[in-house]
């Protein structure tokens, strides 16, 4: 059964019996010299990528490393599926409040504290540790390094042990003098 032709002169290509006269047109080629329009984009393709794009979430109190509020099935510790090249081979960014200390500890303060504490057994290194503690405090004030507490502890421990060492030496001298005087007076 055949249907009447539709109004407007359109005809069904599948109804045509016989071979086509030309191959179908390629939709990717420009027609009559007109360029192919590109897809509209809202973002600049040359703009730098935001390294914290995956870190942003709607919940500011969410713990880092846990799935964001919008995606409860995201695996913790993995970057979001949006940009697979953002975190490849790099450590995760530091979170506010968890940054490493801004400066290093003064080495002289560490050495001074060690020498002052070794003074408990050797008694000779305590004054050296106390003096080095004073030098370390001066360096810390000038450079802004860490270690003020260690330098102060080295000074306190070093001078206390030095004072005890001096008192011990005075005690031995007095005891020797008493022993010599008592021995010489008893011989007559």
């Amino acid at each position: 059964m055949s249907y009447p032709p539709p109004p407007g002169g359109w005809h069904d290509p599948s109804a045509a019996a016989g071979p086509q006269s030309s191959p179908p047109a390629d939709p990717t080629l420009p027609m009559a010299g007109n360029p192919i329009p590109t897809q509209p984009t809202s973002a600049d393709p040359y703009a730098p990528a935001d390294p914290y794009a995956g870190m942003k979430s709607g919940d500011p109190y969410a713990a880092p490393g846990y799935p964001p509020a919008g995606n409860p099935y995201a695996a913790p510790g993995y970057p979001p599926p949006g940009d697979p090249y953002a975190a490849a081979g790099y450590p995760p960014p530091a979170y506010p409040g968890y940054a490493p200390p801004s400066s290093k500890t003064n080495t002289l303060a560490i050495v001074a504290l060690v020498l002052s504490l070794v003074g408990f057994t050797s008694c000779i290194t305590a004054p050296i540790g106390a003096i080095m503690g004073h030098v370390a405090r001066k360096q810390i004030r000038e450079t802004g390094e860490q270690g003020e507490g260690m330098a102060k502890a080295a000074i306190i421990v070093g001078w206390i042990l030095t004072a005890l060492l001096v008192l011990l030496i005075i005690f031995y001298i007095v005891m020797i003098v008493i022993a010599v005087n008592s021995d010489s007076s008893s011989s007559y």
Side-chain angles (χ1 to χ4, degrees):
M1 171 174 187
S2 111
Y3 295 103
W10 180 83
H11 71 285
D12 186 10
S14 63
Q20 291 183 338
S21 61
S22 65
D26 187 2
T28 60
L29 295 176
M31 298 179 68
N34 295 330
I36 300 175
T38 59
Q39 293 290 327
T41 59
S42 62
D44 181 14
Y46 300 106
D50 183 10
Y52 299 106
M55 303 300 292
K56 297 175 184 173
S57 70
D59 186 10
Y61 301 106
Y66 286 93
N71 188 357
Y73 301 107
Y78 287 92
D83 188 6
Y85 301 105
Y90 294 101
Y95 297 104
Y98 298 102
S102 60
S103 63
K104 64 180 186 124
T105 304
N106 188 307
T107 307
L108 194 60
I110 298 170
V111 171
L113 182 61
V114 168
L115 287 175
S116 293
L117 292 175
V118 170
F120 277 114
T121 58
S122 71
C123 298
I124 297 172
T125 61
I128 297 170
I131 294 169
M132 289 178 77
H134 284 290
V135 175
R137 283 188 71 191
K138 181 180 178 188
Q139 285 182 356
I140 289 169
R141 280 193 299 265
E142 291 174 355
T143 62
E145 291 177 316
Q146 305 265 332
E148 177 76 22
M150 283 192 278
K152 193 179 287 188
I155 293 169
I156 293 169
V157 171
W159 287 129
I160 288 175
L161 289 178
T162 302
L164 290 175
L165 177 64
V166 168
L167 288 175
L168 184 66
I169 290 172
I170 291 173
F171 176 75
Y172 279 140
I173 291 173
V174 169
M175 293 306 285
I176 290 172
V177 168
I178 290 175
V180 168
N181 284 339
S182 70
D183 189 36
S184 64
S185 64
S186 65
S187 63
Y188 288 109

